[in-house]
């Protein structure tokens, strides 16, 4: 997804902008550009279709300036091209924009009727023209005037040669973070671009603007009311944003899971009452007992992790629970009930569909908790309370450690709610012990990587694969198919194993292998008979479960049955990763995908 970085201060902005853009590459993009206000108060702009490294290499030595903006673009309006790349310029004004301007056609037509020549096909290009046409004395007021004409979402950064040393940024639906330095200021769409320079940050809220000068910043609303913001400190080390010797971030993040799970559990298990404490929940036992239903919302992998969560809550707390794609929920005018606990799940905390679902719920008076990884993100701030994953930054587009940490946090929440309801101390202890064992058990699975890689290399020759699982194995199968599709582009379909004979069995043939999730639980016999049906039709079956041996069997350590989904998913991440590597794909930046989908 598009990225923004901006700087004003005593240093040359150019290396800071290009370095920041390189840090945002993981989000996915197709073109990049920067604009700086030079020493003689002239605007210098360079933009190109292609990589940040190409942009950096193309900059002449004299391309310098102490205030500037940079952008990585992921095409929405208009194909990837030099003209459509940001920044967009009008006179001395340059703008970078994330988001979508819905009334762009109308605004473009008005500008053109006034004789303005627009040079790109983008919605964003109207912004610098609207700002440049304003007669306001302050850049902030000119930006405010322009934004009052915009319908849609934006995160923007603006420079203007008439106001050297001034940066204006604004947010509505697309993240903007201000970084506070020593007599210098930064801004970006993601803290990843800032950590090298500062740890002190301020997150803008929707409908907020900020004017940044080297010596400080001020924030206000779109209708010019001053706001006051407390800086927060980025806890994550800069090294967490590096691949640290791994060939890909996805592999690094798969291997970080034992540590990520330990962090998710740290300080949250209570050995005395065999329960869990989740500080941010803000739910006293009486309120917890009054919950009649739990509804979990998220998109993509976050939704599948939510499905694991719903099963855990129903099993351990005996509260009816289900998960639904936030992207669907927000559009279907849902019935919102006072005694339902709504939980929004998001790694990035910025997914627009999930944020919109949270806002719709809050508007209707629903109580929403967040299960979020990115601290300070929009969803985290919008919710009534919640739990952070503490998984550390997830850079690879395909989610791995955040998925696992989400499932672990749901197990903690289910344990907490269960012990308030009817889960016995003995069962509470059993689940808590099971959770404590997870990091070591994940290590055990990771030690099988070479075998899984060999199997993945072999499976990569098929054009399509089926993933099946029953009840606890069903969200695991969905997540496994999702991972494979995303990074290897092998077509993968997930089905509940119980549904096979109601349709998809017709697909089974020697060219369609099935990956089956077969834990050693009360459904093992049922699963075995499904696998028999597949094998009887010459379908190859790869099993992920607790029993081997066999070339096509991956065996994971036994956990408590309720926690099985967590361990059973890890081999599927490795399978997808190594299939993608075997096929020679850019694993960390799969085609057509972005790390966080901050547009509608
Ligand atoms: C899959 C993946 C996506 C995200 C989804 C939600 O590997 O990464 O399906 O899970 O776009 O993203 P977040 O969790 O940031 O809301």
């Amino acid at each position: 997804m598009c990225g923004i970085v901006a700087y004003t201060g005593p240093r040359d902005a150019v290396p800071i902008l290009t370095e920041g853009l390189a840090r945002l590459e993981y989000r996915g993009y197709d073109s990049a550009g920067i604009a700086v206000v030079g020493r003689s108060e002239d605007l210098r702009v360079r933009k190109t279709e292609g990589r940040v490294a190409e942009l950096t290499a193309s900059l002449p030595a004299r391309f310098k300036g102490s205030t500037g903006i940079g952008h990585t673009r992921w095409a929405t309006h208009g194909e990837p091209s030099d003209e459509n790349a940001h920044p967009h310029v009008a006179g001395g004004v340059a703008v970078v924009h994330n988001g979508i301007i819905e009334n762009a056609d109308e605004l473009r037509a008005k500008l053109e009727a006034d004789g303005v020549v627009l040079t790109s096909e983008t919605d964003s290009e109207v912004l610098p023209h609207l700002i440049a046409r304003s007669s306001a004395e302050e850049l902030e007021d000119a930006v405010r005037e322009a934004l009052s004409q915009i319908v849609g979402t934006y995160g923007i950064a603006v420079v203007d040669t008439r106001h050297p040393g001034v940066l204006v940024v604004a947010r509505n639906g697309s993240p903007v973070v201000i970084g506070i330095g020593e007599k210098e200021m930064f801004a970006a769409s993601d803290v990843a671009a800032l950590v090298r320079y500062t740890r002190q940050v301020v997150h803008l809220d929707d409908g907020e603007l900020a004017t940044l000068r080297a010596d400080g910043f001020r924030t206000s609303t779109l209708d010019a009311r001053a706001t006051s913001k407390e800086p927060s400190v980025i806890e994550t080390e800069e090294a967490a944003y590096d691949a640290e010797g791994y060939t890909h971030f996805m592999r690094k993040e798969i291997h970080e899971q034992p540590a990520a799970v330990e962090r998710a559990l740290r300080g949250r298990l209570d050995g005395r009452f065999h329960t869990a404490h989740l500080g941010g929940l803000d739910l006293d036992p009486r309120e917890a007992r009054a919950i009649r239903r739990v509804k979990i919302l998220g998109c993509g992998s976050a939704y599948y992790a939510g499905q694991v969560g719903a099963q855990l809550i129903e099993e351990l707390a005996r509260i009816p629970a289900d998960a639904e794609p936030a992207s669907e929920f927000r559009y279907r005018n849902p019935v919102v009930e006072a005694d339902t606990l709504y939980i929004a799940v998001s790694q990035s905390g910025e997914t627009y569909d999930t944020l919109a679902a949270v806002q719709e719920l809050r508007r209707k008076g629903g109580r929403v908790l967040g299960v979020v990884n990115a601290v300070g993100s929009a969803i985290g701030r919008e919710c009534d309370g919640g739990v952070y994953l503490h998984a550390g930054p997830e850079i690879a587009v395909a989610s791995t450690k955040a998925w696992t940490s989400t499932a672990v946090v749901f197990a903690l929440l289910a344990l907490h709610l269960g012990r308030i309801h009817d889960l016995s101390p003995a069962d509470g202890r059993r689940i808590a012990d099971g959770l404590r064992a997870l990091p070591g058990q994940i290590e055990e699975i990771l030690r099988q990587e070479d075998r899984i890689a060999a199997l993945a290399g072999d499976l990569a020759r098929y054009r399509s694969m089926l993933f099946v699982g029953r009840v606890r194995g069903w969200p695991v199968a969905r997540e496994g198919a999702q991972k494979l599709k995303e990074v290897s582009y092998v077509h993968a379909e997930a089905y509940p194993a119980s549904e096979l004979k109601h349709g998809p069995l017709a697909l089974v043939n020697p060219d369609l292998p099935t990956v089956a999730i077969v834990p050693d639980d009360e459904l093992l016999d049922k699963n075995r008979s499904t696998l028999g049906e597949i094998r009887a039709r010459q379908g190859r079956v790869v099993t992920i479960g607790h029993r081997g041996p066999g070339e096509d069997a991956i065996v994971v350590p036994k956990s408590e049955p309720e926690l099985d989904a967590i361990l059973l998913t890890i081999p599927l991440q490795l399978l997808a990763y190594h299939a993608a590597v075997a096929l020679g794909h850019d694993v960390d930046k799969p085609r057509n995908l972005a790390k966080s989908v901050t547009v509608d």
Side-chain angles (χ1 to χ4, degrees), residues 391-560:
E394 193 177 68
I395 306 293
V397 165
S399 185
T400 53
K401 63 176 179 173
W403 194 94
T404 305
S405 296
T406 303
V408 167
V409 162
F410 273 119
L412 289 168
L413 178 62
L415 174 61
H416 172 79
L417 293 174
R419 291 288 293 119
I420 289 171
H421 284 76
D422 299 323
L423 190 74
S424 68
D427 275 334
R429 180 201 291 250
R430 183 175 63 76
I431 296 297
D433 288 347
L435 284 167
R436 285 191 196 96
L438 287 176
Q441 293 176 317
I442 297 174
E443 298 276 12
E444 260 182 69
I445 301 172
L446 297 177
R447 283 198 285 275
Q448 298 184 56
E449 182 169 9
D450 289 348
R451 249 204 83 224
I452 298 172
L455 183 59
D458 185 34
L459 289 173
R461 68 194 155 91
Y462 293 98
R463 295 189 55 200
S464 185
M465 278 161 67
L466 202 56
F467 285 69
V468 297
R470 252 190 181 82
V471 188
R472 295 180 192 124
W474 163 224
V476 176
R478 297 180 96 183
E479 175 59 7
Q482 164 98 337
K483 285 289 91 85
L484 188 73
K485 290 188 257 226
E486 281 183 304
V487 295
S488 75
Y489 318 144
V490 172
H491 171 250
E493 238 186 294
Y495 258 92
S498 52
E499 281 284 299
L500 207 65
K501 57 181 173 297
H502 298 294
L505 198 56
L507 292 173
V508 171
N509 71 64
D511 294 327
L512 182 85
T514 299
V515 176
I517 317 304
V518 278
D520 233 357
D521 61 12
E522 65 282 6
L523 296 171
L524 183 62
D525 288 341
K526 289 268 170 232
N527 281 324
R528 280 187 170 152
S529 65
T530 304
L531 302 191
E533 285 165 16
I534 297 170
R535 288 192 180 111
R537 286 153 184 89
Q538 283 78 51
R540 177 175 174 184
V541 176
V542 173
T543 57
I544 317 287
H546 298 121
R547 293 194 192 193
E551 254 175 47
D552 278 352
I554 300 173
V555 179
V556 305
K558 231 175 146 2
S559 179
E560 292 310 317

Side-chain angles (χ1 to χ4, degrees), residues 173-215:
S174 199
V176 174
V177 191
I178 298 169
I180 305 164
E182 278 288 312
K183 302 212 165 48
E184 57 185 354
M185 296 292 295
F186 308 81
S189 51
D190 182 328
V191 288
L194 305 178
V195 274
R196 181 153 181 206
Y197 304 104
T198 178
R199 316 229 119 227
Q200 293 254 69
V201 295
V202 162
H203 295 268
L204 280 195
D205 284 315
D206 277 349
E208 247 181 347
L209 276 93
T211 293
L212 279 53
R213 292 188 170 81
D215 57 0

